[in-house]
Amino acid sequence: MARAVTLIRCAALSDVAEYAYAATAPADSRLIFLAGACPLNDDGSTAAVGDYAGQALKAVENMRAALAASGASLQDVISTRVLVASSRQEDLVTAWNVVRDAFGDHDVPSTLMGVTVLGYADQLVEIEAVAAVLDS
C-alpha cells in the first residue's frame, strides 16, 4: 500500500536526534489529528501507575487503536508530541525510548516535553499525533 508520509532528513542538522527533522504529505492525503493518547485502561483507570515506560507503552497501544479506527497505523503518522509529567530528563528519555521503539524505522518528527501535570489522576505520559493516509 502506498504511504502518504515522506520523512525528510537534513544533513545540515545534527544526526544525534533520533527522528527525522521534517515530514510531508501530498495535498490529496487525508489528515488525521489524534487527541492525546493517554495511558488509560478500558475501565478509565490509569495504567502502570508510577511507571513512565509502562504508561508510554499503554499510550502507544491506545494510539494504535485510535489510528486503526481512523484507517491508519503508526506508519502513517507524520508527527508526534510526547508529554511527560516530570522535570527529570531521565524520565522523559524513559518514555521517549518506548515511543521511539514502537515506531521503529518510521522515525517521525517529534517533540519531547516535560510538563508539570497531565489531565488524569496518576498520569505521567501523553502522546499527540497527526497522521496522513491516501484513501485511493
Side-chain angles (χ1 to χ4, degrees):
M1 174 167 81
R3 296 281 181 199
V5 177
T6 300
L7 301 178
I8 300 170
R9 314 292 172 192
C10 182
L13 298 173
S14 170
D15 65 357
V16 73
E18 296 177 309
Y19 46 79
Y21 278 101
T24 63
D28 63 341
S29 60
R30 177 171 53 92
L31 296 180
I32 303 164
F33 298 89
L34 281 78
C38 299
L40 299 178
N41 295 312
D42 292 345
D43 66 2
S45 65
T46 301
V49 173
D51 179 0
Y52 289 93
Q55 287 201 8
L57 191 62
K58 183 62 175 175
V60 167
E61 177 185 320
N62 289 343
M63 181 173 53
R64 284 181 198 263
L67 285 164
S70 303
S73 73
L74 289 180
Q75 297 301 306
D76 298 306
V77 171
I78 195 167
S79 68
T80 67
R81 181 177 299 130
V82 181
L83 309 171
V84 182
S86 179
S87 61
R88 295 180 23 162
Q89 189 175 34
E90 307 86 57
D91 298 334
L92 276 68
V93 170
T94 295
W96 169 250
N97 286 338
V98 172
V99 175
R100 181 201 61 214
D101 291 349
F103 278 89
D105 290 341
H106 187 66
D107 54 347
V108 299
S110 297
T111 298
L112 176 63
M113 298 172 51
V115 298
T116 303
V117 66
L118 291 167
Y120 292 99
D122 300 312
Q123 182 183 0
L124 301 172
V125 177
E126 187 162 333
I127 307 167
E128 294 179 31
V130 177
V133 295
L134 297 171
D135 288 323
S136 49

